[in-house]
Structures are given as structure tokens and as C-alpha cells.
Amino acid sequence: MRKIKELIIEKTLMTSALITIAVTLGIILVLSIEAIQFFSEVSIFDFLTDTQWTPLFTEKHFGILPLLSGTLLTSFIAISVALPIGLTISIYLSEYAPKAFRKAVKPLLELLASIPTVVYGFFALVVVTPFLQGFFPDLAGFNSLSAGIVMGIMIIPYISSISEDALHAVPASLREASYGMGATKLQTAFKVIVPAASSGIIVSIILAISRAIGETMIVAIAAGQQPRLTLDPTVPVETITAYIVQVSLGDVQHGSLEYRTIFAAGITLFTFTFLLNTLSYRIRKKYQEKYE
Amino acid sequence: MEITMENPKKKGVVLDSIVDTSLKKTPKIETKNIKVWYEEFNAIKGISMSIKPNTVTAFIGPSGCGKSTFLRLFNRMNDYVDGFSLEGKIKINGQNIYKKNVNVEELRKEVGMVFQKPNPFPKSIFDNVAYGLKIQGIKDKQLINDRVISSLKQVGLWEEVKDDLKKSGLALSGGQQQRLCIARTLAVEPSIILMDEPTSALDPISTAKIEELIFQLKQKYTIVIVTHNMQQASRISDYTAFFYLGELIEFNKTKNIFTNPEKKQTENYITGRFG
Ligand SMILES: Nc1ncnc2c1ncn2[C@@H]1O[C@H](COP(=O)(O)OP(=O)(O)OP(=O)(O)O)[C@@H](O)[C@H]1O
Ligand SMILES: [Mg+2]
């Protein structure tokens, strides 16, 4: 009787694992098939080099660069905000803060990541942009600056939490060694602890970038819907994700070339996040071995 | 702090060791009625002791009797422990090291420490030994280079590692790592070296090498070593202190402790009958 029960549990677990894998493969498959059909009509060369993205206009251009630049620009701004703040927080919590404070603050920080992104997007549009317009009157209503800043705040916990784990995992014996040689807390933190935790910190940064690149709601709401190849953070842009939302919600005919553009865009996005996640996985594996 | 080749001795050091060597008789370390608490727990119950310069002093006693606690008072490593409090006076080179205005970093340059488990930094062999100099802000490459080489030579590691100074300190064997940690401590030129069971994680051959090294280091340094190994204490130390339950039971020349202890408890402990 007991054996049968175990067997049922085992099979159920295995089935759910298989379903997960099947769904993932299915998504990749659909993405690839539609993308291949797209690329049978639009050359990959045009896709990668054309500087305009206007699939919904009569004069059609299929250059991914404007969407890519929108994605990278907003992500870059987000990381520029999240990295210094996230790292400072993680070093403070791990090396300076009293234990009780650390215990209380860490979950609070992680709360930042659990606020619905639509709230962040709205916040960027109706609070941050008007605020920034007080300093930069030329700032457009939709722009990558506020979207990037707010996205940066959202991804702070990715950096602070994972980095803090890495810093905290550095053996106490290294701190003792450093203090014992007459190093100050600051010297110990930056010359011993941070380098020793560097792989974990890098992983946190990669995951945060990956999260920023895939983020949809904030940029769709606050950064605009105008594909534009630019590095100017004050003008409206469109990210890959925002474009996919736009087309998905629009009335483009299924099976049309316009419709397939979202798969071409999607596979570009997927390639990026997949590479970043693989990289972080590799680094993490290496770093786990180091401490075993 | 700028340091030149002509005058490698640190300037403006709180604790001046030069004064001391001329007065061989003054104690290097002197404690008066030291009491330590961890929260409510009284770990050290009033210990007075003085340690002479250029001697090796061994701290022995059963586990938990306060040897490490007492040793770590000398470079103020207990300061980081939550709930730690201290009563009494500790003088090193005649200066009270727990006074308000004492610079703890300067103290630790004077009083180096070697730990139980070898703990090299995840850096190259060279950077491990150069660490203490670099954090002092010393930029003189030649000086750093010379100091790294002479420190590695002193611990007998130079011949073994001279061709791969760029290799990670963690890639060395346990015994080599521990000698690297000693070299790292020597590079800062302390006058006192504290060692907390430095050989307990090592094989007999590495242990013998480190004992040999301690014997040589005595010429220049004052060494205090905690050990659970009675033979080790009797082999390498000039003085032995027997601790029991936070009290100093007996402190005397090592020869006397091991051949003719005054207290019954000491005798029981060194003969293996834990008392
Ligand atoms: N951080 C701490 N917090 C609370 N109590 C502590 C702390 N460190 C040590 N103690 C207690 O103080 C007493 C002395 O500890 P200490 O580590 O000095 O002993 P020891 O003689 O070095 O022992 P061992 O030979 O096992 O290393 C022990 O009872 C120990 O439990
Ligand atoms: Mg101990």
C-alpha cells in the first residue's frame, strides 16, 4: 500500500516536471516557427541593420535596432540607478548593520520586487516624469529616463539581496584575518570581502540586467511607443517588450507579416535573456564549487 | 603614511617597540586583574600576568577555559563580539591598549595574529603577504617586494613558492597556507605575534616546520601561543600558563610547569588526568 502511494507521488512529480519542460519547449518551438516564417519574408540582414522599425505603416521597415536601442537604453539607466544603490545597501547590511537591523530590512527590500510593475509604471508616468520636468523642461511626457529610473528602483533588491547573500557567505575567518592585520572595516569590505564575493555580485548584476531587459509594464506605460534609434533619454522610445504588448493588444490580423514581427522581436529578446541567464548560471556554479 | 627605505620603522606608532628592547626587563604585555564577560557569562575571572619580551609563552588548559578569549584581548579582537565586556587593565609596551584614544588598527600592526585554521585571502601569494603593507598605504614597490621576499624566506616558504608568486594562496597545502599566514603577519613587522592553536589543523611534518619557525622567531618577536598539545608547549615555550574555568591556575617557566608543577590541577592536566 505504502509502495503504491510512493509510486503515485513519484509519477505525479515526474509528470509535472515533464509538463514544465514540454511547455517551455512548446513556447520555443512556436516562437521559432513563426520567426522562421518571418525571416522567409524579411532578410535577417535587413532585420539587424535597418535603422527603422515601421511594420504597421504603409512604408514598412523591419529594423530591430530602434527597439533594441530602446530596450538597452532603459535597461542601462535602470542598472546605473540600481547598481550603486544595491551594492551600497548590500555592503552596509553585510558588513556594518547590526544583525537585527539586517534581519528586518532584507525582507522589506525584497518587497520592492513584489510591487506590481503596473504600479511602478504609473508612478513613473504621473510622479517621476512631472517631477523631472521641473528640472528638465524639455523632457517629453514619455521618456526612457523616468522609466529607467523607476525600473532601477524595482530591480534594486535583485542586486542588494543576492549580493548581500554573497558577501555574507564570505567566511568570517577572512574578516578576522584582515582586521588582525590592522585593516579598517572599510578596507576589509572593499579589499577582501567584495573581491571574495565578486562572482556572486556579478551574478546579481546579470540577473538584474536580465530582469530589466525583460521588463514590460513600466516601459510600456512610461517610455512611450515610438521606435527610435537614439541614446537621448529625454525622448519617447519603444522597447522590444513594449512593442510586443502594443501589437498583441492591437487589431493586427493573425498570420500576417505584421503579426509575425512580434515573434521576431520576441526571439531577439529571448536570445538576450537566455544568454544572460546561462552566463549567470555558469558563474554561480563555479562560485558554489569554490566554497564547498 | 609615507615610509622610506632608510627608515622602515613606522613613524607615529602608538606603541613604540624601540624603547622596549633597550629595557629588556620591562614586560611586553602586562595584565592586571582582567575580567571578561560575554553577556552575563563570566569567561575570565580576574587574571594578572606579565609576559617578557622575546619569549614564547604557551597558554594551555581544557577546552572552554578562556585561552582564546584571553589571547584575543591583546589585539582587541574581542571588540567585535556581541555582549563582550572587559574590566581591568592591559598594557602593551607600557601603554593601556583599552584606553579611549587608542588606535586599534595601529595596535594590530604591532600585535599580529595567526589563527587556528589557515585563512589566506583568496588572492595571490604575493598579494597575501603584501596586504598589510598595502592597507597602510605603502606604495613603494621596491619596499613591498623586499618585504614580501624576506617574509616568505623567514617562514621557509620562499624556495617552495618563488616561481609562482601569482598563484592563489588557496592553492597551497594546509601547512604552506599556515606558513603563508605567518609570513603575512611578519610582513607588517609586529613585535608581538599571537597564535591560536596554529598547528591544530596541520599534519605532523607541517607542525614540526612551524614549531621550528616559532623557535627562530623568538629572536625578534614576543610570541604567545595557545595549544592543546602538551608536547608542543614543552618543546617550544619558555613560559607556560595553565588556565582553568576562566582562572589562571599556574604561570611559570615551562620547565617548572612540566617537571614540578605547584598545583595539583596543573599536574592532573599535564599528565592527562583532566582536573
Ligand atoms: N562569542 C562568544 N559569546 C559567548 N560566549 C563565548 C564566546 N566566545 C567564547 N565564549 C565562552 O567563553 C568561554 C571561553 O571560551 P574560549 O573560546 O576563550 O575558550 P578556549 O579556552 O579557547 O577553548 P578551546 O580550547 O576550545 O578553544 C567558553 O565557555 C565559551 O563558551
Ligand atoms: Mg580557543
Side-chain angles (χ1 to χ4, degrees), chain A residues 18-272:
Chain A
L18 286 178
I19 289 175
T20 317
I21 296 171
V23 170
T24 312
L25 288 179
I27 291 174
I28 296 176
L29 194 71
V30 171
L31 205 56
S32 308
I33 290 173
E34 297 280 352
I36 287 168
Q37 284 188 359
F38 172 83
F39 286 117
S40 68
E41 290 176 61
V42 176
S43 85
I44 291 200
F45 182 79
D46 285 348
F47 181 72
L48 293 178
T49 56
D50 196 330
T51 56
Q52 287 182 53
W53 178 262
T54 54
L56 307 179
F57 295 178
T58 26
E59 159 90 40
K60 289 189 193 321
H61 283 276
F62 298 97
I64 194 74
L65 288 178
L67 293 186
L68 203 56
S69 76
T71 296
L72 295 183
L73 181 60
T74 48
S75 299
F76 177 78
I77 294 169
I79 286 296
S80 312
V81 170
L83 185 58
I85 299 179
L87 266 189
T88 309
I89 292 175
S90 67
I91 292 172
Y92 175 74
L93 286 184
S94 159
E95 303 303 309
Y96 290 88
K99 266 195 207 118
F101 184 78
R102 170 174 179 268
K103 265 204 183 136
V105 165
K106 250 192 120 181
L108 282 182
L109 268 173
E110 277 158 34
L111 222 63
L112 275 182
S114 59
I115 296 174
T117 50
V118 64
V119 175
Y120 277 114
F122 194 66
F123 181 72
L125 186 66
V126 306
V127 179
V128 179
T129 296
F131 174 75
L132 289 176
Q133 276 166 339
F135 302 93
F136 314 105
D138 291 343
L139 192 68
F142 296 107
N143 60 77
S144 41
L145 187 60
S146 353
I149 291 174
V150 170
M151 193 152 77
I153 294 169
M154 181 200 72
I155 60 175
I156 283 174
Y158 285 78
I159 293 184
S160 65
S161 194
I162 302 173
S163 294
E164 203 273 342
D165 288 342
L167 293 168
H168 205 71
V170 174
S173 62
L174 290 185
R175 286 185 188 87
E176 286 202 319
S178 177
Y179 295 147
M181 313 260 330
T184 62
K185 269 200 152 171
L186 195 70
Q187 287 172 327
T188 303
F190 282 94
K191 300 206 162 156
V192 176
I193 310 298
V194 169
S198 57
S199 36
I201 294 173
I202 293 169
V203 164
S204 80
I205 297 169
I206 294 173
L207 286 181
I209 295 175
S210 172
R211 180 70 186 80
I213 286 178
E215 169 50 31
T216 308
M217 225 35 179
I218 298 175
V219 284
I221 294 175
Q225 302 199 328
Q226 297 178 27
R228 191 197 305 256
L229 184 55
T230 177
L231 290 178
D232 181 356
T234 64
V235 295
V237 294
E238 183 163 45
T239 64
I240 297 176
T241 50
Y243 173 76
I244 294 174
V245 172
Q246 182 193 357
V247 174
S248 307
L249 297 180
D251 47 6
V252 172
Q253 200 191 343
H254 274 228
S256 64
L257 181 61
E258 292 84 346
Y259 170 74
R260 289 205 180 104
T261 54
I262 66 175
F263 293 95
I267 208 153
T268 311
L269 190 65
F270 176 73
T271 311
F272 266 85

Side-chain angles (χ1 to χ4, degrees), chain B residues 2 27 30 58 100 108 126 151 154 216 238-239 252:
Chain B
E2 197 52 50
E30 198 176 12
K100 280 238 161 54
R108 291 187 185 139
F126 185 94
S151 306
Q154 275 192 80
Q216 288 166 12
D238 306 301
Y239 292 86
N252 209 334

Side-chain angles (χ1 to χ4, degrees), chain B residues 67-68 116 196-197 226:
Chain B
K67 305 178 295 293
S68 298
Q116 179 170 1
D196 196 347
E197 303 184 43
V226 174

Side-chain angles (χ1 to χ4, degrees), chain B residues 38-39 41-44 61-70 72 78 81-82 116 196-197 226 228 243:
Chain B
Y38 292 117
E39 309 287 356
F41 176 70
N42 188 193
I44 301 287
S63 192
C65 65
K67 305 178 295 293
S68 298
T69 299
F70 196 62
R72 294 159 69 94
N78 291 331
V81 178
D82 286 337
Q116 179 170 1
D196 196 347
E197 303 184 43
V226 174
H228 276 284
F243 292 76

